[in-house]
Amino acid sequence: MISTVVYADGQAMEYGDLTAARTAVGTTWVHATDATPDEVEAVSSAFDLHSLAIEDIKNDVRANVQEFNAYTFVLVKSASLTPGDTTFDKEVKTTPLGLFIGPDWIVTLSTGAVPSVQRVMDAVGRGDERLLHRGPDFTAYRVIDVIVDAYFDLLDEIETDIEQIEEEVTISTDIETLERINDVRRDLLSFRKQVWPAREAIGVLARGDPKQIQPQTEKYFRDVYDHLVQIVDLTETYRDLVAGARDIYLNTVSQSTNEVMKVLTVVATIFIPLTFVVGVYGMNFADSPYNMPELGWAFGYPAVMIGMVTVVAVLLGHFRQRDYL
């Protein structure tokens, strides 16, 4: 699907013909979402877009900025937490978005729906004065800014998951808790791979290196860059929190295992002398002067039972005194 709008002098007008939109007076904005090869070819021919830049969008490479003679190409990615396509409850899903910033035009191409682009395009249609009286570089800033703001929403979801994990990890040793920890760690790692290149790319625009970025727009890109720095810091902080939660979980499991082993050791220690006693008195050989005399004693059995109970009581008292029980 291709959407085309031209805005100038505070007014915006939709066009159905790429050639007419390309030559119209004002700023031309063309957005193609999940376009067919023919549609991509039509946009590419109308604005002379390089095939390698288009391939970068299709191949989902890392965020970057490339300068060409007539325009600047910026590749960024929208990100959101969505239900996993495999066995994971949630996973970070990214959609690459390519922005081609020309002197009086901007082309945005994406392999899937990017709500951020639609929000800004709707603002143009409503007559947003901040967009209609500025150039394509400011439009690119608005799109990228909305994408970066969505990063904070994603981190808020992850923060909520981390808070729930921190409440469970000290009292639960269920394997599901460890699975949730690993899921969050995987999400943070995947998200980190997106925001680090994005910070580098936006840093190029914030310095005003591309000639298509006007000096008055550089401060806006610097604001986006500051947001990305904050996002990177939050991502690293959350990774540390998850790593700490994982260590607490493993320590809790280890402590629980130690408690079980301690109880088993106490039980085994108590039964060792009992096993010895019944083993000795189980050797009831007959017709020998060396047999145990108490085998023939009328009170032999009660005496042995009382003795074993006494041994158990003494051992239990000893273990309680040593805080083993």
Side-chain angles (χ1 to χ4, degrees), residues 188-263:
L188 286 171
L189 178 60
S190 177
F191 183 63
R192 181 178 182 271
K193 292 180 180 179
Q194 309 303 326
V195 296
W196 273 92
R199 187 181 71 166
E200 297 174 3
I202 302 306
V204 175
L205 302 178
R207 293 192 300 268
D209 294 345
K211 61 183 179 181
Q212 283 78 18
I213 305 301
Q214 303 299 319
Q216 61 269 24
T217 312
E218 293 177 15
K219 60 183 178 181
Y220 295 103
F221 282 111
R222 284 197 294 269
D223 181 66
V224 177
Y225 178 80
D226 292 340
H227 289 171
L228 283 170
V229 171
Q230 183 181 358
I231 289 171
V232 169
D233 291 341
L234 284 174
T235 302
E236 296 300 329
T237 299
Y238 290 164
R239 290 186 68 200
D240 292 340
L241 289 176
V242 173
R246 186 171 183 269
D247 291 339
I248 293 174
Y249 172 83
L250 295 177
N251 289 336
T252 303
V253 172
S254 177
Q255 183 178 0
S256 176
T257 303
N258 290 338
E259 291 295 327
V260 172
M261 292 302 298
K262 185 168 65 175
V263 172

Side-chain angles (χ1 to χ4, degrees), residues 271-284 292 295 301 304-305 308:
F271 274 90
I272 285 174
L274 303 184
T275 304
F276 173 76
V277 171
V278 298
V280 169
Y281 282 95
M283 299 184 299
N284 48 354
M292 291 178 287
L295 290 178
Y301 177 75
V304 171
M305 295 301 297
M308 290 194 295

Side-chain angles (χ1 to χ4, degrees), residues 19-309:
T19 303
R22 176 70 178 86
T23 57
V25 177
T27 299
T28 302
W29 183 5
V30 177
H31 175 61
T33 302
D34 198 16
T36 64
D38 292 338
E39 290 175 333
V40 172
E41 179 62 28
V43 175
S44 178
S45 300
F47 294 89
D48 193 24
L49 305 181
H50 202 286
S51 59
L52 290 179
I54 296 176
E55 286 297 322
D56 285 349
I57 302 173
K58 295 179 180 179
N59 295 331
D60 196 15
V61 302
R62 57 182 287 165
N64 64 84
V65 174
Q66 302 177 34
E67 294 186 61
F68 296 87
N69 293 332
Y71 58 86
T72 297
F73 171 66
V74 182
L75 178 63
V76 294
K77 297 182 181 181
S78 67
S80 60
L81 276 178
T82 59
D85 295 331
T86 55
T87 59
F88 305 120
D89 292 336
K90 291 186 293 186
E91 60 184 5
V92 177
K93 180 181 179 181
T94 61
T95 303
L97 173 68
L99 299 95
F100 300 83
I101 308 171
D104 60 350
W105 55 268
I106 177 173
V107 175
T108 52
L109 300 177
S110 63
T111 57
V114 180
S116 305
V117 176
Q118 192 59 49
R119 284 179 55 184
V120 180
M121 187 164 275
D122 290 343
V124 172
R126 292 193 304 267
D128 191 327
E129 294 293 332
R130 293 174 296 176
L131 285 166
L132 299 183
H133 290 88
R134 297 177 184 266
D137 56 337
F138 188 81
T139 301
Y141 149 72
R142 286 292 300 275
V143 172
I144 295 173
D145 184 52
V146 176
I147 289 176
V148 172
D149 286 344
Y151 290 171
F152 284 105
D153 297 335
L154 185 149
L155 285 178
D156 286 342
E157 292 186 51
I158 293 179
E159 182 184 12
T160 301
D161 292 338
I162 294 176
E163 291 175 352
Q164 295 175 352
I165 289 173
E166 288 178 336
E167 293 177 359
E168 296 176 5
V169 74
T170 56
I171 59 176
S172 173
T173 57
D174 294 338
I175 191 63
E176 289 79 7
T177 302
L178 180 60
E179 291 175 354
R180 291 188 61 190
I181 293 174
N182 290 332
D183 288 346
V184 174
R185 290 178 68 243
R186 187 195 64 255
D187 292 338
L188 286 171
L189 178 60
S190 177
F191 183 63
R192 181 178 182 271
K193 292 180 180 179
Q194 309 303 326
V195 296
W196 273 92
R199 187 181 71 166
E200 297 174 3
I202 302 306
V204 175
L205 302 178
R207 293 192 300 268
D209 294 345
K211 61 183 179 181
Q212 283 78 18
I213 305 301
Q214 303 299 319
Q216 61 269 24
T217 312
E218 293 177 15
K219 60 183 178 181
Y220 295 103
F221 282 111
R222 284 197 294 269
D223 181 66
V224 177
Y225 178 80
D226 292 340
H227 289 171
L228 283 170
V229 171
Q230 183 181 358
I231 289 171
V232 169
D233 291 341
L234 284 174
T235 302
E236 296 300 329
T237 299
Y238 290 164
R239 290 186 68 200
D240 292 340
L241 289 176
V242 173
R246 186 171 183 269
D247 291 339
I248 293 174
Y249 172 83
L250 295 177
N251 289 336
T252 303
V253 172
S254 177
Q255 183 178 0
S256 176
T257 303
N258 290 338
E259 291 295 327
V260 172
M261 292 302 298
K262 185 168 65 175
V263 172
L264 293 177
T265 301
V266 169
V267 172
T269 304
I270 290 174
F271 274 90
I272 285 174
L274 303 184
T275 304
F276 173 76
V277 171
V278 298
V280 169
Y281 282 95
M283 299 184 299
N284 48 354
F285 300 106
D287 301 330
S288 173
Y290 301 106
N291 285 346
M292 291 178 287
E294 55 268 29
L295 290 178
W297 184 32
F299 299 100
Y301 177 75
V304 171
M305 295 301 297
I306 293 173
M308 290 194 295
V309 171

